[in-house]
Amino acid sequence: MHSNRVLFRALTVLVVASVAAAGCGGTSSTETTTSTLTKPPITIGFLNPSGGPVPQPGTDTGVQAAQSYINGEFGGINGHPIEVVPCDTDTTPEKAQSCANTFVEKKVVAVLDGYNLSSSAALPPLTAAQIPLVGMIPFDSVTGAKPENRVFFAAPQASFLVGALQAFQSEGKKSVTLALVDTPSSHQTIDTLLPALSTALGIRAKGIYFSPTSPNFTAVASAIAKDNPDVGGLVAAPSEAVCTALVKALRQLNYQGEIFTAACTDYIKDAPEQAAGGALYSSNWLPTAARYAPPEVQSDLAIAEKHIAAVEGGTAGYYAYGEFALLVNLAKALTASGATASVTGADVLKTLKALKDFPSFLGPKITCGSATSPNCTTQMLLFSVQPDGSTKPVTDTWITPAAQVLGAIPGAV
């Protein structure tokens, strides 16, 4: 599925120097404002999708920014600073499993999933060690199919596709053609899920693939425009560059339908007038939608934007804000539970599974602990791009995808 910026400096202390395990490491979370936090730290792992054919550099930015905020203004977790142990992944199961083994050795109490395509490979060692996997959206369909030892604060991937198609249908759209990067996990979406949704929702939905290593977006745009669908675009975007390239190619072909860009936003800043009329989805509020957000969300967006912008060489975008929200949600939940440095992975899992009507950061109220799903909500937002570059929600409330449709998808509800 589915992309927005030196750490905030007041007083800085080096809290994590490196990850010693071979092949693991990363540039994440090394300096934070912890001078007033003298209690022992709480250590958290981070599966950082920095390599491979589908990297997500914004996740690292979001974690750095959130750690700065939590150990600074937020005051840590009941006065305990958080230390983040990053480990770089590259979409391969072997790398994810190697990182999981490192986290077990480091005795972390939870592991952040940075929108990894192979996070399920990390689950066996983490589950054996009673270390929960915590994320926003499970990009690995195997991870998203069961609730054991994992909690995801946002909706499942299926919700975004179902919710968007529902909204398009309500607007009178009758046909949709969407592209997705060709990876093993993509085939469940294109080959199985999309046809099922097409039948269930009564909208003609077609999926096509593009290469993860050498995509030809002129060809992708031609394949989309060929049938002149009412909506054309992406199921999910591996990078902002993909969105920009596809939008440009569709405009060059004079495609007149609505362009759907998954969770991308950068292309809007480059050419807002050209982007106007397009659509994108999100699991949380975005800075481009701040003027339409409730006051409390505007305040949270200002916090996230300040710290994300302060990350040296950072990548701001959907994944940065999503990962910022992930770590803040975890910190808020553990703080409310009274957690200290003696907290265990089992304690963390119990705390998260017990969340009820929890006001998530930049997201809806969530309730976790479903017997069939790792996700704490099915709600999502769909935005329409305005001529001034802002993104306006298409509905007055969060979109809740049809339960009867999601019910046929393992782990969705």
Side-chain angles (χ1 to χ4, degrees):
M1 265 172 120
H2 340 356
S3 347
N4 267 314
R5 287 174 275 214
V6 174
L7 294 178
F8 176 67
R9 298 179 185 270
L11 295 171
T12 59
V13 176
L14 187 64
V15 294
V16 179
S18 63
V19 178
C24 279
T27 59
S28 174
S29 309
T30 55
E31 293 182 81
T32 53
T33 49
T34 59
S35 62
T36 61
L37 303 180
T38 58
K39 296 180 180 180
I42 294 174
T43 307
I44 298 166
F46 169 40
L47 286 170
N48 179 18
S50 60
V54 192
Q56 302 293 0
T59 60
D60 183 63
T61 301
V63 168
Q64 291 187 54
Q67 187 178 358
S68 173
Y69 166 63
I70 293 164
N71 288 347
E73 297 166 43
F74 189 76
I77 297 174
N78 297 314
H80 295 268
I82 58 168
E83 289 185 0
V84 177
V85 176
C87 189
D88 294 340
T89 64
D90 59 5
T91 74
T92 65
E94 294 79 11
K95 196 66 174 176
Q97 186 175 45
S98 175
C99 286
N101 292 331
T102 295
F103 297 145
V104 172
E105 293 171 7
K106 296 288 183 179
K107 294 181 170 56
V108 304
V109 299
V111 171
L112 307 176
D113 179 16
Y115 304 92
N116 282 272
L117 291 171
S118 56
S119 60
S120 59
L123 284 168
L126 294 181
T127 301
Q130 294 188 297
I131 300 170
L133 180 68
V134 186
M136 290 298 282
I137 305 166
F139 269 23
D140 183 330
S141 59
V142 176
T143 299
K146 294 181 179 180
E148 286 78 18
N149 203 57
R150 68 209 83 165
V151 173
F152 286 80
F153 293 127
Q157 285 199 68
S159 279
F160 297 94
L161 193 52
V162 174
L165 291 179
Q166 281 182 197
F168 294 143
Q169 182 195 47
S170 69
E171 294 171 341
K173 306 291 195 303
K174 299 183 183 301
S175 56
V176 178
T177 300
L178 301 175
L180 189 59
V181 62
D182 193 354
T183 65
S185 63
S186 300
H187 283 260
Q188 181 182 5
T189 300
I190 294 295
D191 303 342
T192 304
L193 178 57
L194 202 56
L197 295 180
S198 178
T199 300
L201 297 173
I203 186 170
R204 295 194 305 276
K206 177 182 177 181
I208 59 176
Y209 296 104
F210 59 88
S211 168
T213 54
S214 55
N216 182 336
F217 289 108
T218 298
V220 174
S222 295
I224 291 174
K226 178 180 65 174
D227 299 326
N228 194 31
D230 295 327
V231 180
L234 297 159
V235 175
S239 71
E240 290 282 357
V242 166
C243 289
T244 300
L246 183 59
V247 170
K248 181 179 180 181
L250 285 169
R251 292 305 188 202
Q252 287 176 339
L253 291 172
N254 293 316
Y255 170 67
Q256 298 301 307
E258 185 169 7
I259 298 179
F260 181 56
T261 56
C264 292
T265 56
D266 280 4
Y267 75 98
I268 301 172
K269 292 182 294 183
D270 296 337
E273 292 184 1
Q274 191 177 58
L280 60 126
Y281 57 54
S282 178
S283 60
N284 48 261
W285 286 90
L286 301 171
T288 51
R291 74 174 64 172
Y292 309 105
E296 65 274 14
V297 174
Q298 293 180 1
S299 176
D300 287 346
L301 280 170
I303 290 171
E305 193 163 18
K306 179 181 74 171
H307 287 276
I308 288 172
V311 177
E312 185 177 19
T315 300
Y318 174 81
Y319 297 105
Y321 283 86
E323 208 72 2
F324 188 99
L326 167 60
L327 190 51
V328 171
N329 283 333
L330 179 59
K332 287 173 62 178
L334 293 180
T335 298
S337 73
T340 67
S342 63
V343 69
T344 66
D347 296 331
V348 172
L349 183 64
K350 182 178 179 180
T351 294
L352 299 184
K353 292 283 190 181
L355 293 176
K356 298 287 187 287
D357 291 324
F358 177 76
S360 66
F361 190 86
L362 299 182
K365 286 187 177 181
I366 60 176
T367 294
C368 308
S370 167
T372 56
S373 174
N375 297 87
C376 301
T377 184
T378 61
Q379 294 183 307
M380 48 81 73
L381 291 169
L382 186 69
F383 296 101
S384 175
V385 182
Q386 306 301 298
D388 63 358
S390 66
T391 53
K392 183 179 181 180
V394 301
T395 58
D396 293 332
T397 60
W398 291 83
I399 296 173
T400 302
Q404 64 269 31
V405 177
L406 289 179
I409 304 165
V413 292

